[in-house]
Amino acid sequence: MDELRPSDPSHIGGHRLLGRLGAGGMGVVYLGRTEAGALAAIKVILPEYAGDDDFRTRFRREVAAARSVHSPWAVPVTGAETEGERPWLATAFVPGPALSDAVARRGPLPARSVKVLGRLLSRALTAVHEAGLVHRDVKPGNVLLTADGPRLIDFGIARAADATALTTTDLVVGTPGFLSPEQATGGGTTAGPASDVFSLGCLLAYAATGRPPFGSGAVDALLYRTVHDRPDLGGIDDAELRTLLTACLAKDPGERPTAAQLDARIAEDVPGGSVEWLPEDVVRLIADRSAAMLALPDIDATVAEEPVAPARPARRRFLLLTSVAAVGLAGTAYAAVQVAGEDTEDAPKRGGSGERDWIIGVHADLTGPQAAWGKAQERGVRLAVERFNSRGNKPFTLSVKALDDRGDAARSARVAELFARDPDVLAVIGPTGDAATGAALPAYDEAMLAVLTVSSLAMAYAPRSKKSFFQAAPSWGALSAPIVNRLLLRPDVERLGVLMDRSGGQSAYQVGYATNLMTPTLTTGTTYPRVVPAGTRDLAPVIEDMVAHRSDAIFYAGDAAGAARTAVALAGTSFKGPCIAQHTVMGPDFLAAAGAAATGWEFISPYTDASAPAAKEFTAAHRTRFGAEPAPWAAEAYDVAGLVARALVALARGGKATGKPDGTEGPEGTEGKQASGKPEEAEGRKASGSTGASPEARRPVRPGRAAVVAGIAASPYEGISRTYAFDKRQALVGQDAHLYRVENGRYRYLGAAPKPTT
C-alpha cells in the first residue's frame, strides 16, 4: 500500500482513507475505514471519466452487478455512489494476495489446492450466473487468496447474459490468455456463462503450471492460439485435474460443464476454516501480506482538512536529527558518525583553514552479504578521486567519505540520514543493493542530495519523487533486451525456454518475467515459460518438459545452486542449444556444482571486465594502487565518480555563491562540461582570467545540492563501461551490457552484449 498523495481526498462516503491500494487508467483504489472500524477497498473514478455518460452508465452497471451476487466466495459490496461528482464503489477489504502474485512468488500450486480453488470459484461463478450475469474477466489477478478460501473480485465488465454490449461489436473484452474463444473472436458474439467456465479453466491451468495454457506474447497470436490450438497442460500429472481442465477448455461452449456441474464434479473437500488446502509457503505469504496490509500507517491530513501535527514519523525523525546538527554546523557529520557508532576512519578530517570540504560519499555494503561488490565500488571511487586530486590545476580538492550499511535496509536509511546531514557531502555513490537503495531514497530526496547507484537494478522503487536519484545502471527489466538479442537473433533459435526459479528472489523473477514479455516484442520468436517454487531440488522433470516443448535455447533466472542443477539436468538430455543466466549466478559456486556441465553457459552482465580494452588504463592503475585486479562494479563506480567530478568542476567555474552555509540551493551553471570519462581531465579553467583578481575571486564557487543534481543530469558522459546519459526520470538511457562465457572451467569475457542491427 502506498501513502496518500496531497491531492487525494481524506474521506469518501463515510470512509476515512488510509492509503492507496492501486491505480489504473480509470480510477484509484483506496484503503478506507468506516467509523465502526470496518476496512474497505474503495474504487474512485477519475473526474475526467465521471463526466462521460457512457462510462457512468457502465459504472452503474458494475455496481448493480456486484450488488446482485451473493456468495461467500465473492467479495461483497459495502457501499457505492454512482451519481456524485466522483463516483465510487466500496467492497469488503481482503488483505490476502492475488492468485497471480502467489503463483509468481511461490510457483505452481499442488493439485489438491488447485481443485479446492476450482470448486470454490465454481460456486462463486454459480452465484454470478444465477444472478443473470457473466463476469467476463475471470483471471488470476481477480482472485484473492485467504486462509479460508479464495474471493472473486472486480465486476467491472460484467453484464447481463442477454444484454447488448455497450462497446463496439468487434472489441475483445477481457484479458488475453484467460478469455474464451467466443470472446477472442469478437465480432459481436455474446459471451455467456460458458465463457466464464473456459476462463476458469485457464485460471486453474495457470495455478497448476505457473503459465497460461495458451502461452503468452503478442495479443493477436495469443488470441489465435486460444481459438485454434489445444491448451498446454504439460506438467499436470493428476488425472482428475487434467480431465476437469480439458472439459472446461473445450472450444465448443456447449461441451463445457456449467459452473454448478463443475462444483459437483470436484470431489475435493472445501477448507472449512482450515489452511491445509494451501501449501505452507503460500499460507506464509498470505499471513505476511495480511500483517503488512493491516499494519496501518498514521492517518495524515490531506488537502481536505487542516493539519494538526507534524507529518510522517520518518520526516519527524529527520527534523530531529537536523535540529541536532544546528547546534554546530562545522564538524557536525563527523560527530554524528561517532554518536551513531559508525566507523570513523573514512570521515574527512576538518582542517583549521576555514575552507569547506568537497566530499563524495560512498554508501555501500562493506561487511555484509554484498561486501565484495561494495568494497569494489569504494575502491573505484577512491581511485577516481585520487587521480582527480593529482592534477596540478584542479579547482578544488575532493575527499571521500565511506559509510557501511552492512546490507541492512534499516541501517541503510540511517547512513543516508548521516550523509544528508553533512553539508559538505555534495553527492553520494551507492547504495549496493536494491533493498538498501529503496530504504535510503527518502532521506536523499528530502535533502536534494544526488545519489547515484551502479548496482541497484530494481525496475521500480517505492513511490516518491526521487528527484535526486540516478540509477546509473540498467534495471533488471532492461537486461532482458540483451538476453533476448543474444539468444533469439540467430537462425537456430525460434522458441526460448524461460525457467524462473523463485530461489533467485524478486530480481531473478523480474528478469525472467521481462524476458518472457519482451521476446515476442523484440523478435519473431516465442517463449515457453516455467516457474518453480523456491527450494525445488529436482529440476530434471521441468527441464525435460521444456525440451519436450521444443525450447531451442534456455534462459535460467534464479540462483547459482539452481543454475547448476539446471546445467546438470540439461546435460542429461539431448538438448544442444545455447544457455544463458544472470550475472548474479557467476561465481565459484556455480562452477563447482555444475562441473563439466557449466561449459558453454553464458551470462549477461551490467558490469564490464578488467580485461576489456576500454578498461586497460583503469585496470593498470587499480593494480598499482590496490595490488589486485578490479572486481565487478569497480569500473562503474570509477566512471560515476568521474561524472560527479566533472559536474562539480563545471559548476565551480560557472556558478555563483549563494551565501548559504548549508549549500542546499545554488545556480545550475554547467560551463566546462567535457566528454571524457577520465576524472583527471575534468579540471576546467581558472575562475578568473585576470592575474590581478583577488584570492576571493579566484576561489571556486561551491555549488548547491540542487545545482549538482542538475549538472549530473545535463549531458552524456563517456565512461569505461558505457555512456552515461539519463532521461527525464533520471534513469539510464540505453541497454548496454556485457557478455561472459564459461570456458575451461573459468569465466571468459566476450565483450559487449549484442544489439539488433536494425
Side-chain angles (χ1 to χ4, degrees), residues 49-120:
Y49 293 102
D52 184 281
D53 291 339
D54 287 341
F55 186 88
R56 191 179 285 269
T57 298
R58 289 194 293 271
F59 184 70
R60 292 191 193 103
R61 190 182 63 197
E62 175 184 356
V63 173
R67 277 178 162 162
S68 65
V69 176
H70 303 285
S71 169
W73 314 117
V75 176
V77 173
T78 60
E81 170 58 64
T82 61
E83 307 305 323
E85 291 185 4
R86 297 198 68 181
W88 57 270
L89 169 66
T91 60
F93 174 65
V94 178
L99 173 64
S100 55
D101 191 21
V103 172
R105 291 175 176 272
R106 306 303 188 195
L109 302 179
R112 178 174 182 265
S113 298
V114 176
K115 286 187 280 188
V116 172
L117 186 68
R119 187 167 198 183
L120 298 181

Side-chain angles (χ1 to χ4, degrees), residues 5 32 45 133 143 156 188 269 299 314 322 376 435 463 501 542 611 678 695:
R5 298 177 182 176
I45 304 304
L133 301 171
V143 173
D269 292 335
I299 303 174
T322 51
D501 186 342
V542 179
S611 64
K678 297 180 180 180

Side-chain angles (χ1 to χ4, degrees), residues 18-320:
L18 307 179
R20 284 177 163 233
L21 294 174
M26 303 297 181
V28 180
V29 181
Y30 297 100
L31 176 63
R33 184 168 57 196
T34 67
E35 292 183 1
L39 296 176
I42 307 163
K43 178 192 292 186
V44 181
I45 304 304
L46 294 175
E48 54 265 38
Y49 293 102
D52 184 281
D53 291 339
D54 287 341
F55 186 88
R56 191 179 285 269
T57 298
R58 289 194 293 271
F59 184 70
R60 292 191 193 103
R61 190 182 63 197
E62 175 184 356
V63 173
R67 277 178 162 162
S68 65
V69 176
H70 303 285
S71 169
W73 314 117
V75 176
V77 173
T78 60
E81 170 58 64
T82 61
E83 307 305 323
E85 291 185 4
R86 297 198 68 181
W88 57 270
L89 169 66
T91 60
F93 174 65
V94 178
L99 173 64
S100 55
D101 191 21
V103 172
R105 291 175 176 272
R106 306 303 188 195
L109 302 179
R112 178 174 182 265
S113 298
V114 176
K115 286 187 280 188
V116 172
L117 186 68
R119 187 167 198 183
L120 298 181
L121 290 178
S122 68
R123 293 182 179 182
L125 287 178
T126 297
V128 171
H129 299 159
E130 287 178 347
L133 301 171
V134 182
H135 189 284
R136 300 202 300 168
D137 199 17
V138 178
K139 62 182 180 181
N142 279 342
V143 173
L144 303 180
L145 297 180
T146 71
D148 65 346
R151 300 292 190 275
L152 181 64
I153 65 170
D154 199 349
F155 292 82
I157 59 175
R159 63 180 174 86
D162 58 353
T164 301
L166 294 174
T167 55
T168 56
T169 57
D170 60 351
L171 177 65
V172 174
V173 179
T175 302
F178 298 95
L179 42 67
S180 65
E182 52 266 38
Q183 287 175 292
T185 53
T189 301
T190 299
S195 177
D196 284 344
V197 173
F198 188 95
S199 297
L200 178 60
C202 293
L203 178 149
L204 297 176
Y206 169 83
T209 65
R211 62 184 187 278
F214 297 101
S216 58
V219 172
D220 54 351
L222 185 52
L223 297 179
Y224 179 89
R225 292 194 296 270
T226 299
V227 176
H228 298 285
D229 291 359
R230 292 182 178 180
D232 177 10
L233 302 179
I236 301 177
D237 299 325
D238 186 282
E240 179 188 0
L241 178 58
R242 196 179 185 95
T243 299
L244 288 169
L245 295 181
T246 300
C248 292
L249 296 172
K251 303 297 185 187
D252 184 350
E255 296 180 3
R256 302 170 201 152
T258 66
Q261 290 169 343
L262 185 61
D263 175 18
R265 288 179 59 173
I266 300 176
E268 204 65 49
D269 292 335
V270 297
S274 169
V275 298
E276 294 181 358
W277 73 285
L278 285 171
E280 182 179 346
D281 54 352
V282 176
V283 174
R284 187 162 51 250
L285 176 63
I286 293 173
D288 291 345
R289 183 64 56 83
S290 299
M293 295 301 291
L294 293 176
L296 299 178
D298 290 343
I299 303 174
D300 294 322
T302 64
V303 294
E305 58 190 340
E306 292 297 323
V308 295
R312 305 175 184 91
R315 172 65 175 160
R316 287 197 299 269
R317 183 184 184 195
F318 185 80
L319 291 173
L320 174 63

